[in-house]
Amino acid sequence: MTEYQYELFADDYQFYLQDEQADGDLSDSWSQSAVDSLLALAPGTIGVGTERNMTVPVTVQVAAEPPNEDMGNWDQVNECNLSVPSGQIVVAGCNEYFMEAARIRVAPGLYRARIFYGGLNSLSEDGLEGTDHYKIVLWPGDAIEPRILKRRMA
């Protein structure tokens, strides 16, 4: 497994992972359902919703198989696909300059993504401070319908 650590500016309460060649346009993907599940999808792109419109810690792991991590330590867990025909995944804040965004080289193909959301209820009253954090584990896998494996408690 390979692990990458980022501090991403979650402008508009989101960051994304996308194939290098995808257009990355999530503007029509943020339906009310997507906002509620903290997950928006477009071809070759995953939009991860965040609790803060600030810089947030993000870990991305590329693995050979699904994680066996206990979901009890996380507030919410989603799972979906990411098609990466280019072999390059761009990891960036919503309004980050695309050419300067971080990249992860992987074997071209279809990946499953399990997205872990932690510290969602840790925000200060003004919403600027908190310990929310996010982890995405990617591994080669078959296509699935997006699903919520664990839903946050209000």
Side-chain angles (χ1 to χ4, degrees), residues 100-119:
E100 293 178 1
R103 276 146 171 92
I104 299 172
R105 181 171 296 284
V106 297
L110 183 64
Y111 287 81
R112 294 266 288 276
R114 190 167 296 163
I115 305 156
F116 297 86
Y117 305 76

Side-chain angles (χ1 to χ4, degrees), residues 8-30:
L8 298 177
F9 181 48
D11 199 17
D12 295 327
Y13 299 90
Q14 63 184 293
F15 64 89
Y16 63 88
L17 284 82
Q18 78 170 61
D19 179 72
E20 174 83 38
Q21 298 171 346
D23 81 1
D25 184 4
L26 291 169
S27 57
D28 294 331
S29 299
W30 283 108

